[in-house]
Amino acid sequence: MGAVPAWPPQSTPRLFVDDLLQPGERRIEGPAAHYLLSVMRLKSGDPVKLFDDRTGEWLAVVRAAGKRDLTVELTERLHGREAAPDLWLCAAPLKKGRIDWVAEKACELGVARLQPVLTRRAVVDKLNLDRLRAHMVEAAEQCGRTALPELTEPVKLPALLRDWPAERALFFADETGGEPAAAAMRARSGPAAVLIGPEGGFDDAEREAIRALPQAVGIGLGPRILRADTAAAAAVSIWMIVAGDW
Amino acid sequence: MGAVPAWPPQSTPRLFVDDLLQPGERRIEGPAAHYLLSVMRLKSGDPVKLFDDRTGEWLAVVRAAGKRDLTVELTERLHGREAAPDLWLCAAPLKKGRIDWVAEKACELGVARLQPVLTRRAVVDKLNLDRLRAHMVEAAEQCGRTALPELTEPVKLPALLRDWPAERALFFADETGGEPAAAAMRARSGPAAVLIGPEGGFDDAEREAIRALPQAVGIGLGPRILRADTAAAAAVSIWMIVAGDW
């Protein structure tokens, strides 16, 4: 079946550029240039895909490859910016890189916003937002997203609940039991969020405060005790299946 | 509401013992003793939960705490060994600790067996099964499982397909598209497995070989390209919701 080879090939590198993209030539330098030149070994004439979280994804071709920088020409806009499913992930900081993993998975699985939440039992209360964002950018580059999840400043749980949008369902993983996740999510369409506590879980007062929110729905994620990062990935996956774009 | 404090408390350490458990005293030494004495700081009279993947979970009480070992008395069997949902996860080795993470999540999410599968595009072809098992043991200790997932020897994909059980559905993540995962899994009850390829995916010949298996069902996991570890966690979570014990 002598099929015409696909252009650009599947292996075409994909790069986020934090700058409005438009047709024509642009210079790429710094770490991005190092990645394209030294890791991906791009040469003049090679294709590269760029996206900017604003205009979408563009096809570009390398016009000049130097030692430390390269010039590419944007020739065609391949896609507009995607409309991400309207799901927020509100998650407490976690230790030992688990929160980095949550940021990566949140992006791949398709959340629109990652909202760090500070709770009483949090083992970690400092967050490196730049590092979290870097993990989401890398995930977006590899999973084909044209919209980065919004990464918001950490807020304390009481403030999160006080300012919670009236029309947004808040599905929180309730270790003490809750509605089966899929049924609870299927029953409530529209904007939603998943709230995941820290390693030690919410304390009783926090759980009461969450339950007192009319938009809050406690969900169960099976008979086993899931780590916070596991619960986040499972709950987001289930929402994507029953209410998202999967 | 002056409730009687729960015994044993929720914070009771939980430990896997690779040896048949029975009522009465037993000595604990080595890393397990170090964990209980130096990390959890157990003293005489403190409770500890033990499980053996054979008889279930037992309540024990520390009778004598030394410097390097301790003696506990098993007083009561709290649970028999659980019946894990009949789901296998067949996964290609992954680099950079991602396969360790898959083993941990597979255990927490509740799979009955983790079957490493060797494929053509695998970046990694060596697997440290002892390390994988250690990750599953640690996950089982913290998630309350009384049955460890079975960890089988790696097999090459052709052998896996050749010897595939007639009655077991094989849901494979198909980047080229497939049935929506939840519907595909809901439509096929009974024993099942999720098959996840390596970072580079299956090659065309492998995908054809999988499709040729009558028990195989290609599933889609949404519009974004998921990393192999993400796809594994998502597919297992979805199966647990629609066909498992969640």
Side-chain angles (χ1 to χ4, degrees), chain B residues 205-224:
Chain B
E206 287 174 329
R207 196 174 291 106
E208 285 321 304
I210 297 166
R211 286 216 183 90
L213 188 74
Q215 304 93 310
V217 184
I219 56 171
L221 292 168
R224 289 160 289 276

Side-chain angles (χ1 to χ4, degrees), chain B residues 3-237:
Chain B
V4 178
W7 178 267
Q10 254 204 327
S11 59
T12 303
R14 198 165 176 279
L15 198 68
F16 170 70
V17 176
D18 194 0
D19 180 18
L20 191 71
L21 292 173
Q22 51 194 10
E25 296 202 339
R26 70 178 297 134
R27 194 143 153 279
I28 298 177
E29 34 194 11
H34 172 78
Y35 168 73
L36 295 177
L37 293 168
S38 306
V39 180
M40 302 307 294
R41 307 205 170 283
L42 289 196
K43 297 172 303 301
S44 190
D46 287 342
V48 55
K49 292 175 178 175
L50 306 177
F51 66 104
D52 60 2
D53 195 32
R54 299 175 177 95
T55 63
E57 178 179 64
W58 296 71
L59 176 60
V61 178
V62 177
R63 294 305 181 202
K67 277 224 171 317
R68 289 191 181 65
D69 61 10
L70 66 166
T71 301
V72 302
E73 180 182 358
L74 279 67
T75 56
E76 179 191 353
R77 193 171 78 143
L78 300 170
H79 311 283
R81 184 178 187 274
E82 73 187 295
D86 194 0
L87 180 69
W88 298 352
L89 174 59
C90 306
L94 303 170
K95 59 184 169 182
K96 278 200 299 173
R98 287 186 184 267
I99 191 65
D100 298 340
W101 182 85
V102 167
E104 174 187 297
K105 296 324 179 201
C107 182
E108 285 181 53
L109 294 171
V111 307
R113 172 188 289 190
L114 176 57
Q115 168 68 70
V117 181
L118 306 178
T119 65
R120 290 216 190 86
R121 288 188 184 155
V123 180
V124 181
D125 57 5
K126 282 207 186 53
L127 257 188
N128 182 334
L129 291 184
D130 292 338
R131 200 190 66 226
L132 279 191
R133 186 158 190 279
H135 281 281
M136 294 203 296
V137 165
E138 191 195 340
E141 287 174 340
Q142 73 84 34
C143 77
R145 280 190 72 152
T146 54
L148 292 177
E150 180 187 6
L151 176 61
T152 50
E153 288 292 324
V155 296
K156 294 187 169 173
L157 181 61
L160 181 82
L161 299 175
R162 188 191 61 227
D163 303 333
W164 194 258
E167 80 298 339
R168 185 173 296 271
L170 179 61
F171 299 105
F172 74 101
D174 186 351
E175 313 93 325
T176 67
E179 301 182 30
M185 292 170 168
R186 197 177 290 108
R188 294 166 183 84
S189 58
V194 163
L195 171 60
I196 302 292
E199 285 89 348
F202 301 109
D203 71 20
D204 293 343
E206 287 174 329
R207 196 174 291 106
E208 285 321 304
I210 297 166
R211 286 216 183 90
L213 188 74
Q215 304 93 310
V217 184
I219 56 171
L221 292 168
R224 289 160 289 276
I225 301 157
L226 303 186
R227 281 194 174 90
D229 56 347
T230 317
V236 169
S237 300

Side-chain angles (χ1 to χ4, degrees), chain A residues 19-26 52 55 58 73-75:
Chain A
D19 180 18
L20 192 71
L21 292 173
Q22 51 195 12
E25 295 202 340
R26 70 178 298 132
D52 60 1
T55 63
W58 295 72
E73 180 181 359
L74 280 67
T75 55

Side-chain angles (χ1 to χ4, degrees), chain A residues 99-111:
Chain A
I99 191 65
D100 298 339
W101 182 87
V102 167
E104 174 187 298
K105 296 324 179 202
C107 181
E108 285 182 54
L109 294 171
V111 306

